[in-house]
């Protein structure tokens, strides 16, 4: 079982793919979830060190996720709210 790394939560496949390719260069495990519900499941499985959380997501949005009960422990959460083409 993998117990560290970055959990990237982004519903847009294009953004998720680009973010993951950038983050992979950091030489740490990068795991992806497409929505807040999948994120909650993955938090139990991988216990990430860092969660990059899209501000608008289907199923469970970032604010619902942040105020829910979850087993994050010492993980840091960063909410991202940019469109990938704004930085390219």
């Amino acid at each position: 079982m993998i117990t560290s790394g970055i959990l990237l939560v982004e519903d847009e496949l294009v953004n998720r793919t680009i973010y993951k390719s950038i983050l992979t260069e950091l030489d740490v495990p990068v795991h992806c979830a497409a929505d807040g519900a999948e994120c909650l499941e993955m938090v139990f499985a991988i216990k990430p060190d860092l969660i990059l959380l899209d501000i608008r997501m289907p199923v469970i949005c970032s604010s619902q996720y942040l105020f829910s009960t979850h087993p994050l422990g010492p993980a840091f959460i960063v909410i991202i709210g940019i469109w990938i083409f704004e930085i390219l």
Side-chain angles (χ1 to χ4, degrees), residues 2-3 7 15 19 28 39 41 46-47 65-66 74 84 86:
I2 299 169
T3 58
L7 176 55
N15 293 353
Y19 291 150
V28 296
C39 174
E41 291 176 13
I46 66 171
K47 297 177 178 55
Y65 178 82
L66 289 173
I84 194 65
E86 292 175 357

Side-chain angles (χ1 to χ4, degrees), residues 1-6 29 31 42-50 74-75:
M1 174 173 54
I2 299 169
T3 58
S4 65
I6 298 171
H31 312 279
M42 292 184 75
V43 164
F44 283 104
I46 66 171
K47 297 177 178 55
D49 299 310
L50 173 67

Side-chain angles (χ1 to χ4, degrees), residues 1-83:
M1 174 173 54
I2 299 169
T3 58
S4 65
I6 298 171
L7 176 55
L8 170 64
V9 187
E10 169 62 62
D11 61 315
E12 294 293 330
L13 179 60
V14 172
N15 293 353
R16 195 167 57 241
T17 303
I18 294 171
Y19 291 150
K20 185 174 181 176
S21 69
I22 293 168
L23 293 169
T24 301
E25 294 179 15
L26 298 175
D27 198 30
V28 296
V30 179
H31 312 279
C32 296
D35 58 49
E38 188 178 349
C39 174
L40 280 174
E41 291 176 13
M42 292 184 75
V43 164
F44 283 104
I46 66 171
K47 297 177 178 55
D49 299 310
L50 173 67
I51 299 173
L52 297 177
L53 188 64
D54 186 12
I55 198 160
R56 286 182 288 182
M57 297 181 296
V59 185
I60 298 175
C61 71
S62 58
S63 61
Q64 288 173 312
Y65 178 82
L66 289 173
F67 293 111
S68 67
T69 303
H70 48 76
L72 288 179
F76 289 96
I77 300 174
V78 176
I79 297 177
I80 52 178
I82 59 173
W83 192 43

